[in-house]
Amino acid sequence: WGRRGLRVREAVFQMARLGVRSIPLVVLVNLLVGAIIAVSLSTKLRELGVLNWISMVTGVVQSRELGPLMTALMMSGFAGAAIAAEIGTMSVSEELVALEAQALPSEYFLVAPRLAAMLVMMPCLTLIADLAGIFGGFVVDVAMLDMAPSSYYQNTLDSLSNADIWQGILIKSEVFAVIITITACHLGISTRGGAEGVGNATTGAVVQSIVLIIAANLVM
């Protein structure tokens, strides 16, 4: 963060580039995930006579686990790959050396704005993902299983606790944001070997981020 402070304008630009542009993808994927949960559970829960549990399970699973996790996995491919490719290209074209010659360390000039952008946008995207997943379950329940919309809404509210929400949005999403950004920036800065090196850095950023995200999710 340094004596110069954060490059706020660059951070805002990265929020729009990495965060806002990914909203349609996050909504679509989590909408489908929520629908999949509801469809998968419907047969067994109908046999048990507790079909109304679908809304409860969908809300808890989406907010506690799948919302943060699916958003992080998508952002590792969307944002992580973009960051690694961009910084890797700068590295092989010696732009990073030029920045250092102007007393602009890459950590200040490149890493800090992207990290700040991801720390701000990941909780927002996770909240959107939670709502999209719950709505996906709502569509299945109301359209296919003839559940009353008011019942789905009320069951979802009754099943969720504050801990389910803030643990996914405020803790997991921030940890995942740090993993994605630091991994991508590290591999981008250490890129060598021209276009092949950029490709390897991009692939490595996505793969390593996914593995670390899943491992961190298990620990949390």
Side-chain angles (χ1 to χ4, degrees):
W1 305 94
R3 290 173 296 177
R4 298 183 181 88
L6 177 66
R7 298 173 62 220
V8 177
R9 182 175 299 179
E10 176 67 14
V12 173
F13 170 74
Q14 294 298 333
M15 290 178 198
R17 174 173 172 259
L18 302 175
V20 176
R21 288 176 54 192
S22 65
I23 290 177
L25 178 64
V26 170
V27 170
L28 176 61
V29 171
N30 283 279
L31 185 71
L32 296 175
V33 168
I36 289 170
I37 295 172
V39 171
S40 301
L41 291 173
S42 60
T43 303
K44 183 58 65 177
L45 292 183
R46 181 183 282 113
E47 293 176 359
L48 297 174
V50 287
L51 196 58
N52 61 321
W53 284 15
I54 290 180
S55 56
M56 302 167 65
V57 175
T58 301
V60 172
V61 170
Q62 184 68 28
S63 61
R64 186 184 295 176
E65 293 295 336
L66 289 183
L69 182 61
M70 294 303 299
T71 302
L73 294 180
M74 284 183 289
M75 290 301 291
S76 68
F78 186 89
I83 292 172
E86 182 181 18
I87 297 180
T89 302
M90 296 178 69
S91 178
V92 298
S93 61
E94 299 185 352
E95 292 181 43
L96 299 186
V97 176
L99 288 176
E100 294 287 348
Q102 299 177 67
L104 295 172
S106 56
E107 292 82 2
Y108 158 74
F109 198 77
L110 299 173
V111 177
R114 287 162 176 79
L115 180 58
M118 289 291 286
L119 287 173
V120 172
M121 293 307 299
M122 278 294 286
C124 301
L125 292 171
T126 301
L127 176 60
I128 293 172
D130 291 346
L131 296 175
I134 292 172
F135 182 73
F138 171 84
V139 171
V140 171
D141 267 16
V142 173
M144 297 177 57
L145 304 175
D146 299 324
M147 177 178 285
S150 58
S151 297
Y152 186 93
Y153 174 77
Q154 191 59 49
N155 289 340
T156 301
L157 288 182
D158 292 341
S159 64
L160 289 175
S161 66
N162 291 332
D164 293 329
I165 298 172
W166 65 258
Q167 285 177 4
I169 294 176
L170 297 180
I171 296 181
K172 286 189 176 183
S173 64
E174 298 287 46
V175 172
F176 297 156
V178 172
I179 290 173
I180 294 169
T181 308
I182 297 302
T183 302
C185 289
H186 170 70
L187 292 175
I189 292 173
S190 60
T191 299
R192 302 292 184 272
E196 182 180 357
V198 174
N200 292 336
T202 304
T203 303
V206 175
V207 173
Q208 292 184 30
S209 295
I210 290 174
V211 173
L212 291 173
I213 286 167
I214 294 174
N217 189 62
L218 172 62
V219 172
M220 288 187 286

